[in-house]
Amino acid sequence: MSDGRFFNRLVFLVAVLAGGLSLRGEAGVRLPVVFSDGMVLQHGRPVAIWGWADAGEEVRVSVAGRSATVVAGSDGRWLATIDALPAGGPYTLVVNELAVEDVLAGDVWFCSGQSNMELPVSRVTDMFAGEVALYENPSVRHIKVPAVSDMYGPHDDIAPAGWSRLEHDNVMDFSALGYFFARELYEATGVPVGIINASLGGSPIEAWLDGENIMQFPRIYNDLLFSADERFTGAAGDLSGIVNSRWYGTLEERDPGLTDNPQWHSPALDDSAWRSFDLFDRAWSDGPDGTVPGSFWLRKKIAVPDSLAGREAILRLGCIMHSDRTYVNGRQVGETGYEYPPRIYTVPAGVLTAGENLVTVRVVAPHGNAHFIPDKPYKLLFPGGYEIPLEGLWQVAAGAPMPAMPQVPSFSQKPTTLYNGMVAPIARYTVRGALWYQGETNAGRPAEYYGLLKSLIAQYRRDAGEPDLPVLVVQLPNFMQEDRLPGHGGWAFMRETQLRVSQEVPGVGLAVTIDAGEWNDIHPLDKKTIAGRLVLQARRIAYGEDIVADGPQFESLAADGDRLTISFRDGTDDLDDSAPLLGFAVAGPDGRFHWAEAVADGRRVVVRSEAVAGPVAVRYAWGNNPAGANLRNRSGIPASPFRAELSVNRP
């Protein structure tokens, strides 16, 4: 069977299964999940509304004084188009006997990507708790598309979900980036904003592309063909369950911290023979041959003042690689099953006593490399602001050393899977534009990403029926250890790819975030800065405002003896010269880069290095985490990392 026939057969079979209710001729009109109470419809342009009914049934659709009548096809499907709606509401959408209440008309933005798009407001409260608590806006709405993956073909509908108004009792579940984007956009436009959040942590871009697009990329398409076998996926799913059950079961059975009497979280245990380590010294998880998978126990005694005994407190344990179970005075106060979330655990009233108290952390690392992330909060916090630090020495003992957990194929994020389950069912929903924050998972394949990102943008526009649909991309931020030497960090190449696409494809905006990341966290807290730069791009591209939305964009390079002069694109070149420029490196014909002095000279930057007599190439902010890179214009927008060289004959 040819590849094309194979793919078409998969699509047909699953389309039939996914649309089973409508194909069976269920009586009455049915709407997709996304058309539900509290929704936001796009204003100012014709709006698509669709659903299912009995074959041949007349379907009457009306909202805000606009109406349309259509007839369901032989398969029960119908599609109506409503004339452009005025911004405002609330309206009622009526479809035959169905009524959808509290409908607003405003600007709808489709937000997709991986964990930094999915990350909820609750995860950024360390930075924004105060302003989140003070803000409500019923004109901002959000719907999170449930995570559903399927490599066998597109679904008719998303899993059950609902629209939420931006109110105190539900704001913590909003996408943090979508939340700040919607807030600032509303302030700029004054019209309601709807955020459709279809994102999933760890997802590669190819999972969000459809089958037609994937066929352009042989390696990825072959991955789909290799994986799309129910015997394979079924066996792998069974094996994954067995592996997890056996590995964790053996760990629990063999961990003396759980089987000894007293258990190792008990205050009655004498830990004087345990080794003492600084909390951030990774040597505590090493064995004679290197890092060890399995469990480790860490204990620390702290003194609580008499005045705070019995009080409720908050235990902050930063971030931990990989999972933890945490106790205070022998009582479990929290656990987290994976490495990324901040550990914020409530110590209930009555647990803490006057004087000596014990904090115990059991860390489990299925693949080794157990450690605590530096530069995060590690303390016990009491009402009123009193805190007890938890850094410094801890008593440490290995629990159960284990073999590394075997890797089992995972199919939930294979090519097309998330498009089929989360995007295809709502691809026709009329939107103002799309936001895309993804790339971490694909950072090792920047050359391939170039074509994939361009295909994703084209797919958004094709599905929306809008050839100029604005698409706003978040460039990867600074991350990992600071680059002390001019480097070749892999994330620099990915940022370059994202920049190229934004410059080559009309109607695409790029939010540069090289100053908004955190060296020790792939999920930086400052989603507000990133959202603000996306709003600038939206105002320029989607709303046609004549504003500066980009930082200095490289245009040309010229040599003058031992100096290189860099020019920037008109409109982005009003350079901020208020501080010495950092982050530049130059190289001669030998290709070896050295840090360079850089000076803003009017609308240009002049760079030189005493180590390079005849420079021919320059790099700016070129690394995973370029320390101090600070080129920006007077609008406060940073320059994207870039590299350039003169045409020379290398030795």
Side-chain angles (χ1 to χ4, degrees):
M1 181 181 294
S2 70
D3 290 351
R5 288 177 58 203
F6 171 82
F7 180 78
N8 290 335
R9 177 173 173 270
L10 292 179
V11 171
F12 173 77
L13 288 175
V14 177
V16 169
L17 293 173
L21 287 175
S22 59
L23 293 179
R24 285 198 299 269
E26 182 187 43
V29 170
R30 182 166 64 92
L31 289 169
V33 166
V34 72
F35 290 101
S36 55
D37 292 349
M39 69 184 297
V40 182
L41 291 172
Q42 180 60 44
H43 84 101
R45 61 184 57 183
V47 173
I49 298 173
W50 68 93
W52 302 267
D54 290 337
E57 182 177 359
E58 184 177 85
V59 179
R60 300 171 303 281
V61 181
S62 65
V63 60
R66 278 71 172 165
S67 62
T69 301
V70 296
V71 176
S74 59
D75 58 358
R77 302 171 189 270
W78 56 267
L79 170 66
T81 301
I82 295 292
D83 289 341
L85 300 171
Y91 304 122
T92 299
L93 169 66
V94 178
V95 182
N96 285 12
E97 71 277 9
L98 299 180
V100 180
E101 304 291 350
D102 190 26
V103 176
L104 298 183
D107 283 325
V108 182
W109 287 83
F110 179 75
C111 302
S112 191
Q114 56 183 108
S115 53
N116 272 303
M117 181 64 82
E118 185 179 30
L119 195 81
V121 169
S122 61
R123 288 275 296 274
V124 301
T125 52
D126 272 355
M127 185 173 286
F128 300 111
E131 66 177 278
V132 168
L134 293 173
Y135 187 84
E136 283 190 311
N137 188 342
S139 292
V140 172
R141 309 285 175 89
H142 175 277
I143 184 172
K144 176 67 168 73
V145 178
V148 173
S149 63
D150 190 334
M151 74 178 72
Y152 296 105
H155 288 203
D156 268 4
D157 206 354
I158 62 173
W163 287 84
S164 299
R165 301 195 302 179
L166 200 169
E167 298 172 335
H168 291 148
D169 61 355
N170 57 37
V171 66
M172 291 300 173
D173 295 327
F174 278 49
S175 157
L177 184 66
Y179 165 85
F180 284 114
F181 178 82
R183 274 185 54 169
E184 188 163 336
L185 189 65
Y186 178 84
E187 297 303 321
T189 65
V191 303
V193 180
I195 298 294
I196 299 177
N197 175 15
S199 52
L200 184 64
S203 56
I205 189 172
E206 55 265 30
W208 298 100
L209 289 170
D210 68 7
E212 181 180 344
N213 271 317
I214 288 300
M215 292 177 71
Q216 304 173 57
F217 305 94
R219 185 195 66 80
I220 295 173
Y221 183 57
N222 289 341
D223 185 15
L224 175 63
L225 296 179
F226 160 73
S227 303
D229 183 292
E230 292 182 353
R231 297 169 302 167
F232 187 17
T233 56
D238 291 342
L239 182 59
S240 178
I242 293 170
V243 166
N244 276 274
S245 175
R246 294 294 302 155
W247 197 90
Y248 282 104
T250 302
L251 178 75
E252 300 292 296
E253 292 172 3
R254 299 296 300 167
D255 190 338
L258 299 176
T259 59
D260 282 0
N261 187 14
Q263 294 183 332
W264 289 7
H265 55 73
S266 170
L269 179 74
D270 179 5
D271 61 16
S272 59
W274 288 21
R275 299 181 298 168
S276 292
F277 284 96
D278 184 85
L279 186 65
F280 305 118
D281 183 351
R282 295 193 184 190
W284 59 257
S285 64
D286 288 345
D289 299 314
T291 185
V292 178
S295 62
F296 298 86
W297 292 79
L298 299 94
R299 291 164 51 106
K300 187 176 183 69
K301 294 175 182 176
I302 58 173
V304 173
D306 293 356
S307 61
L308 297 175
R311 299 285 297 276
E312 181 181 284
I314 300 297
L315 182 64
R316 299 298 305 266
L317 284 173
C319 295
I320 303 173
M321 180 70 73
H322 176 272
S323 64
D324 75 286
R325 190 182 303 162
T326 297
Y327 308 81
V328 174
N329 291 338
R331 177 169 173 176
Q332 183 174 329
V333 296
E335 64 180 324
T336 303
Y338 64 111
E339 64 266 32
Y340 294 118
R343 272 52 170 187
I344 307 174
Y345 300 141
T346 299
V347 181
V351 172
L352 294 167
T353 61
E356 186 176 272
N357 290 259
L358 175 69
V359 179
T360 306
V361 185
R362 180 183 186 244
V363 179
V364 173
H367 303 285
N369 195 31
H371 63 276
F372 291 77
I373 307 298
D375 293 343
K376 296 289 184 180
Y378 293 86
K379 52 193 172 183
L380 186 65
L381 296 169
F382 291 88
Y386 186 86
E387 59 186 54
I388 299 173
L390 296 174
E391 296 96 339
L393 295 178
W394 288 62
Q395 296 296 99
V396 183
M402 292 285 290
M405 180 183 286
Q407 296 282 352
V408 178
S410 174
F411 299 95
S412 63
Q413 297 174 19
K414 286 290 187 179
T416 74
T417 54
L418 301 181
Y419 176 84
N420 290 337
M422 299 173 67
V423 179
I426 55 175
R428 288 176 294 188
Y429 199 93
T430 307
V431 299
R432 191 69 181 85
L435 308 183
W436 176 250
Y437 190 167
Q438 193 276 341
E440 299 92 336
T441 296
N442 293 85
R445 296 179 276 135
E448 182 181 70
Y449 196 81
Y450 173 77
L452 291 167
L453 182 55
K454 293 180 79 170
S455 292
L456 181 81
I457 294 165
Q459 174 181 287
Y460 281 163
R461 292 171 169 175
R462 180 206 66 207
D463 285 350
E466 293 282 348
D468 300 318
L469 184 78
V471 179
L472 312 181
V473 176
V474 179
Q475 191 182 56
L476 291 185
N478 50 309
F479 176 55
M480 294 176 269
Q481 292 286 348
E482 289 186 354
D483 299 298
R484 299 299 182 184
L485 298 172
H488 298 266
W491 279 34
F493 293 94
M494 178 60 86
R495 296 185 194 107
E496 180 181 61
T497 294
Q498 294 168 319
L499 175 65
R500 283 182 60 200
V501 171
S502 72
Q503 292 176 333
E504 294 174 10
V505 182
V508 175
L510 185 72
V512 175
T513 65
I514 197 63
D515 60 340
E518 298 176 32
W519 78 267
N520 60 354
D521 202 331
I522 201 169
H523 303 119
L525 295 178
D526 191 4
K527 296 297 188 284
K528 183 177 181 179
T529 293
I530 299 172
R533 290 175 187 160
L534 287 169
V535 169
L536 287 176
Q537 294 289 354
R539 290 171 59 189
R540 179 178 67 88
I541 297 171
Y543 301 97
E545 294 187 40
D546 184 16
I547 61 171
V548 176
D550 293 304
Q553 290 197 354
F554 172 84
E555 182 169 71
S556 63
L557 183 68
D560 182 11
D562 65 347
R563 292 171 169 78
L564 293 174
T565 299
I566 306 166
S567 298
F568 301 92
R569 293 187 177 185
D570 186 49
T572 72
D573 57 351
D574 186 14
L575 303 182
D576 181 356
D577 58 2
S578 62
L581 295 178
L582 302 174
F584 287 87
V586 297
D590 62 2
R592 291 163 47 180
F593 280 86
H594 302 265
W595 290 124
E597 300 172 1
V599 177
D601 180 15
R603 296 184 179 272
R604 304 178 299 173
V605 170
V606 178
V607 295
R608 65 175 297 275
S609 172
E610 292 183 358
V612 182
V616 299
V618 64
R619 287 177 174 173
Y620 169 69
W622 198 262
N624 293 320
N625 187 5
N630 62 345
L631 175 63
R632 61 185 63 233
N633 52 29
R634 293 185 188 276
S635 297
I637 308 172
S640 170
F642 64 85
R643 57 177 175 162
E645 63 179 79
L646 303 170
S647 298
V648 297
N649 294 320
R650 294 190 177 277

